[in-house]
Amino acid sequence: MLQVESRDGASHVALQGELTIYQAAELAERFLPLLRREEGLVIDLSDVSDMDSSCAQMLMLARRHCQARGHGCALVNHSQPVIDVFETLGLVSWFGDPVVLPGESGPKNRPGMDAGMGGGA
Amino acid sequence: MSMEAALQTYFAEAREMLEDMESRLLEIEHIDAGELPETLNAVFRAAHTVKGSASLFGLDGIVDFTHVVENLLDRMRDGEVAVEEDLISLLLRCQSHITTLVDETETDEQISEDSRRLSQHLIVELGGYLASEDKPADKAGLPTAGEAADDHAEQFPADADDETVDNECWHISLRFGRSSFRDGMDPISFLRFLDGLGTVRQVIILDDWLPDLADYDPESCYLGFEIRYMSQASKKEIEDVFEFIREDSDIHIVAPYSRLSDYIDLINAMGEDSDRRIGEMLIDCGALTESELAKMLAMQAAAEEADQGRRLGEIVSQEDDRLGPVVDAAAQKQTQMREAINRKQKSLRVDADKLDHLINLVGELVTSGAGTFLQAQILGNPELIESMSKLNDLLEEMRDASLKLRMVAIGATFTKFQRVVRDMAADLDKDVDLVITGADTELDKSVVEKIGDPLMHLVRNAVDHGLEPAAERAAAGKPETGTISLNAYHDSGNIVIEVGDDGAGLDADRILAKAREKGMVGEDQQLSRSEIFDFILKPGFSTASQVSNISGRGVGMDVVRRNVIEMRGRTEIDSEPGEGTTIRIILPLTLAIIDGFVVGVGQAAFVVPLDVVQECVEFSEADHEEKDGQSYINLRGNVLPLVNIRQRFAVRGERPKRRSVVVVKADGQSVGLVVDRLMGEFQTVIKPLGPVFAGLSGISGSTIMGNGEVALILDVQGLVQQITRRPQRSATHS
Amino acid sequence: MEKTVLIVDDSASLRQLVVLALKGSGFRVVEATDGVDGLAKLDGGRVHLIISDVNMPNMDGLTFLKEVKKRPDTRFTPVIMLTTESAADKKEEGRAAGAKAWVVKPFQPQQMLAAVNKLIQ
């Protein structure tokens, strides 16, 4: 479901697998405490195979929470299912993170990302 | 499809505006100077709206012409062009022409060559009034006939009070219920489904309801969306996308090209803290422009102000300072807007079919209530009887109230004739005043729709034949100006509409002579005055010695009579030589309910409209005789043809020993209906027959009785006609 | 991703109609003849949507629904209940148990496909 690594004053979180309402409670239990760490958040979405609105909503909460406290909260390496969901819900512009569309350069090659993170699951 | 629907709405709206414009123009000659500015303003507004909306649909032919009219009206409003009779006549012709342009656009989707030419011709005439003013700066406002098409856009930005928003997309506001996720309802799914039915142009996700971390429940849905949506689907189809979440969520759908007030309704309906917030969302997703929002907020404020007596400026300045300049402009329009809004709030447009359905249901409710009451009486439980009787009282009140929903004042119909009389008088070179009384008399909408044509015939006839030429009037010592009166009033369950003139009156001798000449009456037959006058409404009878081009249109006055009879009404004529003629149309108050007289034959029940029933007598075989397959009885020395209902409708069952004859009269002919039983009076809600029975002669409808059984309503008119037509020969030598 | 729909109804022809409506549009359809059979075929949450009749032998639709809503691996799965117009009281009971989507019998295959698509697309 998720892997966390604290590095350079930020929590690097890799979300993985299916993230739907069935996982929402557990994800909340493991993910939301990270918001209390009072540090920046980098969320890698490359290994998310499915996401529904409930988990997208949790990412919105995270972004808003961090922003209100002056911390960064970056979403990176959106997988195709995540891109689809974000586009449907109007979240691409809500988050405003760069999203790499298929056909352009590989999704794992974003500047500022730790290349080693995605596959660590 | 939605575009087509919007266009239909435009045509209806334009006609309404044009009717208003016409009646205001006709008013102008009769009102005090003090009321003139308001009336001119109303005329201007009507033209302005017709043009403004036409431009949204790209109806250039209407826009180009109406623009010039509007221009002139604007100058009149400012007092730069004086009001005079010829000018009003010209404007009335322009009004007629715009109506033609609208009609042609609707039916042919284009404007005929003739109308184009007339447009140019009228524009030149209008130009005469515009150019005569010494205001060269303003002359630019008048396009010449040829170039009218090009310059209207810059000069007249659409700024009608409640303008249509230039948005070809649907706007959907969605607030998902908290339990949506738990119920398996994911917004993603609905948005994707929506995208299959059309194109989601833009989605804005709202986090306004997403709580802080402490209050957040990961399994609750806090999401809202504003969606700009392009689709050919109907509103129903779009609503159906959300059928499964309708109960727990908040969903609002605004159609393309909606009015600003629809967006106000949306904002009000969403009931959220800040109107400004949802307003911004509307701008963000392209539903409204910034200035449209400003105008809308101003309108909303104006509406509130109307409620609370607060000042517009204060309210809007609280909303947002940025809007200052736009709002100032809007504030000047405040009065106009408030009027528009008030008008909207006072009345509610309801589809006539829906209303008919309601009335139908209420009618059935009343009959089923009567049936239940009957059961209660049989059971003999006093408490039950008491409460049923209370319930029945309420049901009847409800029926009366719902029938009133269909009632409209006849005024609008009457007012149309001002124009007719005015035009005819000019053509015939007569001076005619039209006096209207009882304009606020209400009658059933279906009656109003059908009464127009007969009234038109009567009014034309009165002006043309009723009123003498001015010289003749003067010679008779009457005022040269003739008077046509239109009057309406209620009279014991009927509505009476009178068309009167103060002309020469009907010449009974001449009418009788002509009737004899045409063989419509026997040489020695004695007729009362009113029977003689009746001839002028009969087919094939015309007394006018020369057929003028006005009344003589090949359709006689018999059309009047036929139409009135179709409405189950009758006509009466009063006339005094030298004093004038009054033709009275007497109609039942509503076409949906009649007082019926119920008769039984075998197991079946039939309803005879009570107003045609003359009397009931016992049927005696002794008085009964048959000739040429038609049976008769002798009723107090008169021969009464009979219709045996049992035979006529092939009712099965044994014939009882005692039978009755219901004497009915229609078209001046009495006929006896032979039935088994008389069952008494019964108020009947008429239900039209289904298509299966539509061809059934002698039956005009059906109704449901208190006991739940269906009874057929007899078409007495039709039954009588079948008899009078068939045995013409036998009737004369019997 | 192919989605799985479970149809629970004792009428074989109705199940056939549903299969017909959904198969052509890329859904996998699993059939069950009553509530008991339906519970057996829930397949540990691999079902994305359930369509269930109300009136069935062995275990009726409402009992089945309540059981589905109790199980952790199916409690958020959308359920479409099939109803006849006359079963209004059942509808109330079903709503209370968490069935929000109702389709009135008889229905056109197209209607069923639309209903399913609204919920899992």
Side-chain angles (χ1 to χ4, degrees):
Chain A
M1 182 173 278
L2 84 167
Q3 294 241 327
V4 189
E5 200 179 312
S6 197
R7 194 155 31 79
D8 311 329
S11 299
H12 290 244
V13 187
L15 297 179
Q16 292 147 352
E18 241 179 73
L19 299 177
T20 68
I21 179 69
Y22 282 108
Q23 287 80 37
E26 191 192 341
L27 180 65
E29 205 170 293
R30 296 173 60 180
F31 172 69
L32 294 181
L34 301 179
L35 300 181
R36 302 189 198 278
R37 284 187 180 180
E38 300 297 331
E39 59 178 16
L41 204 57
V42 179
I43 303 168
D44 186 303
L45 300 167
S46 57
D47 279 342
V48 176
S49 61
D50 191 10
M51 178 182 279
D52 73 2
S53 301
S54 66
C55 289
Q57 179 181 267
M58 209 178 312
L59 294 177
M60 291 169 75
L61 180 81
R63 163 63 64 87
R64 223 181 50 180
H65 184 87
C66 289
Q67 244 167 14
R69 281 155 190 78
H71 307 305
C73 174
L75 304 184
V76 295
N77 290 353
H78 306 66
S79 68
Q80 191 56 47
V82 172
I83 293 175
D84 289 348
V85 166
F86 276 26
E87 281 181 343
T88 303
L89 293 177
L91 280 173
V92 176
S93 59
W94 192 89
F95 281 111
D97 297 281
V99 171
V100 180
L101 294 170
E104 294 179 33
S105 59
K108 298 220 171 178
N109 248 341
R110 303 292 309 161
M113 254 319 288
D114 186 337
M117 268 205 51
Chain B
M1 214 163 84
S2 57
M3 182 70 180
E4 183 54 31
L7 199 59
Q8 288 310 315
T9 312
Y10 167 73
F11 292 132
E13 238 170 45
R15 281 200 192 94
E16 219 167 83
M17 288 290 162
L18 287 165
E19 276 175 29
D20 188 49
M21 181 173 170
E22 181 184 31
S23 58
R24 302 286 184 142
L25 280 171
L26 289 163
E27 252 171 53
I28 285 181
E29 292 175 346
H30 304 287
I31 56 172
D32 300 334
E35 294 170 35
L36 189 62
E38 179 46 41
T39 305
L40 279 175
N41 209 14
V43 175
F44 171 81
R45 270 204 308 270
H48 179 76
T49 308
V50 169
K51 189 208 75 175
S53 305
S55 69
L56 288 176
F57 292 98
L59 308 175
D60 291 342
I62 299 175
V63 174
D64 296 345
F65 179 73
T66 313
H67 171 65
V68 184
V69 177
E70 179 198 8
N71 230 340
L72 178 57
L73 286 167
D74 192 28
R75 301 274 294 270
M76 291 171 70
R77 202 169 56 147
D78 294 344
E80 291 169 24
V81 176
V83 176
E84 52 176 280
E85 199 182 328
D86 287 350
L87 178 54
I88 299 298
S89 293
L90 172 60
L91 286 171
L92 279 167
R93 278 190 287 142
C94 290
Q95 181 270 346
S96 293
H97 183 58
I98 300 171
T99 310
T100 311
L101 294 179
V102 170
D103 289 348
E104 286 181 354
T105 309
E106 180 170 20
T107 50
D108 311 332
E109 289 173 23
Q110 60 175 5
I111 285 161
S112 70
E113 200 45 50
D114 283 354
S115 294
R116 278 183 200 287
R117 239 176 279 132
L118 184 55
S119 284
Q120 304 236 328
H121 182 78
L122 287 168
I123 286 174
V124 172
E125 276 194 67
L126 289 165
Y129 285 94
L130 280 163
S132 66
E133 298 301 311
D134 296 323
K135 276 205 151 190
D138 275 1
K139 267 186 204 160
L142 171 73
T144 60
E147 62 189 39
D150 303 313
D151 62 352
H152 60 80
E154 289 77 20
Q155 290 179 29
F156 278 82
D159 62 351
D161 303 341
D162 181 12
E163 77 189 33
T164 310
V165 172
D166 193 9
N167 180 358
E168 57 180 355
C169 289
W170 294 83
H171 185 84
I172 305 171
S173 293
L174 287 179
R175 307 289 181 265
F176 279 86
R178 292 284 176 271
S179 69
S180 297
F181 294 153
R182 287 188 288 267
D183 294 335
M185 311 283 167
D186 192 315
I188 294 171
S189 226
F190 292 96
L191 286 167
R192 288 192 178 147
F193 188 84
L194 206 57
D195 212 24
L197 197 65
T199 312
V200 172
R201 281 286 177 82
Q202 190 159 15
V203 182
I204 292 189
I205 191 164
L206 305 178
D207 61 2
D208 298 36
W209 302 273
L210 188 61
D212 288 337
L213 188 54
D215 298 323
Y216 170 77
D217 167 12
E219 288 172 0
S220 285
C221 180
Y222 304 100
L223 299 176
F225 297 88
E226 298 291 334
I227 300 157
R228 184 160 182 244
Y229 184 50
M230 187 77 177
S231 175
Q232 298 300 305
S234 69
K235 183 158 189 187
K236 172 85 172 58
E237 284 174 292
I238 296 175
E239 276 172 356
D240 279 353
V241 172
F242 305 107
E243 60 169 318
F244 298 146
I245 54 170
R246 199 176 292 157
E247 286 181 25
D248 298 319
S249 306
D250 231 340
I251 302 148
H252 291 276
I253 300 169
V254 181
Y257 299 106
S258 283
R259 291 175 164 272
L260 280 177
S261 56
D262 293 329
Y263 286 93
I264 293 184
D265 291 346
L266 167 71
I267 290 178
N268 289 340
M270 298 314 288
E272 288 160 12
D273 298 342
S274 167
D275 295 351
R276 185 68 207 161
R277 170 82 179 118
I278 174 170
E280 277 165 5
M281 301 283 54
L282 289 170
I283 291 179
D284 286 352
C285 77
L288 295 176
T289 63
E290 183 82 15
S291 69
E292 281 169 340
L293 174 66
K295 209 168 278 178
M296 181 174 80
L297 287 171
M299 276 176 71
Q300 189 185 17
E304 272 171 25
E305 193 243 16
D307 287 345
Q308 303 166 10
R310 282 193 287 157
R311 278 202 53 235
L312 171 71
E314 288 169 11
I315 300 168
V316 182
S317 63
Q318 285 162 12
E319 299 283 356
D320 194 337
D321 289 335
R322 252 185 322 149
L323 297 169
V326 196
V327 170
D328 279 352
Q332 288 171 7
K333 289 198 165 278
Q334 181 182 351
T335 323
Q336 288 176 17
M337 286 169 181
R338 196 165 52 221
E339 271 171 21
I341 290 166
N342 284 349
R343 215 171 29 236
K344 236 178 222 110
Q345 286 169 345
K346 260 187 232 158
S347 62
L348 185 68
R349 251 172 219 271
V350 180
D351 193 47
D353 287 346
K354 283 188 193 161
L355 210 54
D356 288 347
H357 184 57
L358 173 74
I359 287 169
N360 216 337
L361 286 177
V362 171
E364 282 180 30
L365 204 55
V366 170
T367 29
S368 124
T372 314
F373 187 59
L374 210 67
Q375 290 298 321
Q377 279 178 321
I378 292 167
L379 287 173
N381 180 331
E383 285 88 2
L384 183 60
I385 291 175
E386 161 117 24
S387 72
M388 263 320 293
S389 113
K390 251 184 220 150
L391 183 62
N392 271 340
D393 287 348
L394 284 173
L395 284 177
E396 279 178 23
E397 261 181 59
M398 181 169 156
R399 183 196 51 204
D400 291 347
S402 61
L403 281 174
K404 278 202 188 103
L405 294 178
R406 284 176 57 97
M407 302 298 260
V408 292
I410 198 169
T413 311
F414 277 179
T415 322
K416 281 196 191 111
F417 291 107
Q418 270 181 346
R419 180 70 179 278
V420 175
V421 169
R422 192 180 195 280
D423 290 352
M424 278 187 71
D427 278 0
L428 292 166
D429 203 19
K430 287 179 180 177
D431 269 347
V432 185
D433 271 349
L434 178 67
V435 178
I436 290 175
T437 40
D440 52 358
T441 306
E442 291 193 323
L443 60 167
D444 196 277
K445 188 170 168 6
S446 56
V447 179
V448 170
E449 280 161 4
K450 288 180 190 153
I451 201 71
D453 280 354
L455 278 184
M456 180 68 84
H457 275 288
L458 292 178
V459 170
R460 283 175 174 278
N461 200 68
V463 177
D464 195 7
H465 304 306
L467 296 177
E468 322 87 321
E472 212 173 288
R473 289 181 68 91
K478 291 159 88 168
E480 283 190 23
T481 301
T483 303
I484 299 289
S485 59
L486 282 172
N487 185 20
Y489 54 92
H490 285 165
D491 179 35
S492 57
N494 287 320
I495 168 131
V496 182
I497 303 167
E498 291 180 342
V499 179
D501 65 66
D502 67 345
L506 294 173
D507 185 339
D509 294 340
R510 215 175 105 210
I511 295 170
L512 186 59
K514 182 146 185 195
R516 290 216 162 105
E517 183 188 310
K518 294 202 172 234
M520 295 167 90
V521 59
E523 278 304 321
D524 47 357
Q525 210 168 335
Q526 290 303 306
L527 294 173
S528 71
R529 275 175 70 80
S530 69
E531 278 172 316
I532 294 171
F533 292 152
D534 250 3
F535 280 112
I536 67 164
L537 296 179
K538 288 201 172 149
F541 192 93
S542 170
T543 53
S545 22
Q546 80 266 21
V547 176
S548 75
N549 71 333
I550 288 182
S551 313
R553 308 184 130 203
V555 201
M557 295 277 275
D558 58 307
V559 170
V560 174
R561 203 171 123 92
R562 205 170 55 230
N563 283 346
V564 169
I565 286 170
E566 267 170 22
M567 287 184 270
R568 298 198 323 276
R570 61 199 160 90
T571 51
E572 276 179 11
I573 303 177
D574 277 349
S575 185
E576 287 300 327
E579 286 177 22
T581 307
T582 299
I583 300 183
R584 212 166 283 129
I585 297 175
I586 299 151
L587 297 169
L589 211 48
T590 163
L591 302 187
I593 288 190
I594 58 167
D595 281 322
F597 185 74
V598 187
V599 297
V601 180
Q603 294 299 309
F606 293 88
V607 178
V608 186
L610 194 63
D611 53 359
V612 300
V613 175
Q614 305 284 104
E615 60 179 315
C616 298
V617 296
E618 197 159 329
F619 178 78
S620 83
E621 289 288 349
D623 299 339
H624 175 227
E625 54 178 302
E626 262 194 55
K627 245 178 216 156
D628 300 346
Q630 172 66 52
S631 45
Y632 299 90
I633 54 166
N634 186 328
L635 181 67
R636 293 187 293 274
N638 290 320
V639 172
L640 183 75
L642 294 180
V643 177
N644 189 324
I645 297 296
R646 176 183 297 276
Q647 279 172 11
R648 179 68 178 70
F649 296 103
V651 181
R652 263 177 273 165
E654 204 167 310
R655 216 170 70 180
K657 282 200 186 83
R658 294 179 55 159
R659 286 186 287 165
S660 300
V661 175
V662 181
V663 182
V664 295
K665 188 170 183 177
D667 272 349
Q669 171 72 49
S670 291
V671 168
L673 308 176
V674 184
V675 301
D676 292 357
R677 295 180 305 284
L678 304 177
M679 293 156 74
E681 292 177 26
F682 176 71
Q683 229 187 18
T684 302
V685 179
I686 300 178
K687 296 168 76 72
L689 288 174
V692 181
F693 299 106
L696 194 61
S697 76
I699 298 292
S700 63
S702 68
T703 186
I704 294 173
M705 308 278 291
N707 58 10
E709 278 175 27
V710 174
L712 295 174
I713 300 168
L714 293 177
D715 172 18
V716 172
Q717 200 81 32
L719 288 172
V720 168
Q721 271 170 11
Q722 278 169 11
I723 291 210
T724 48
R725 245 180 260 141
R726 189 170 46 144
Q728 201 84 45
R729 291 160 297 121
S730 51
T732 35
H733 52 76
S734 65
Chain C
M1 182 178 61
E2 190 181 62
K3 303 235 171 169
T4 304
V5 175
L6 172 66
I7 165 70
V8 189
D9 197 309
D10 53 329
S11 155
S13 63
L14 188 135
R15 292 200 305 271
Q16 231 166 11
L17 190 69
V18 171
V19 171
L20 207 71
L22 301 183
K23 271 239 167 104
S25 300
F27 292 102
R28 194 170 80 91
V29 184
V30 177
E31 297 179 53
T33 54
D34 57 46
V36 175
D37 192 19
L39 289 177
K41 287 175 175 161
L42 283 174
D43 193 21
R46 293 294 94 187
V47 167
H48 297 94
L49 182 140
I50 299 162
I51 302 170
S52 170
D53 191 17
V54 174
N55 205 343
M56 290 181 296
N58 290 334
M59 183 191 283
D60 71 40
L62 291 179
T63 315
F64 171 67
L65 171 69
K66 283 171 196 157
E67 192 58 37
V68 165
K69 290 283 164 191
K70 253 190 258 168
R71 296 190 174 193
D73 52 357
T74 55
R75 63 194 178 116
F76 300 129
T77 301
V79 180
I80 295 176
M81 297 299 288
L82 299 176
T83 176
T84 49
E85 207 75 87
S86 55
D89 50 334
K90 291 279 181 202
K91 208 164 165 175
E92 268 320 301
E93 205 183 327
R95 253 187 243 292
K100 302 290 172 170
W102 294 79
V103 169
V104 178
K105 290 193 284 187
F107 53 83
Q108 301 287 317
Q110 281 307 321
Q111 273 173 277
M112 181 50 77
L113 179 61
V116 170
N117 270 327
K118 281 172 201 170
L119 296 176
I120 48 166
Q121 211 181 64

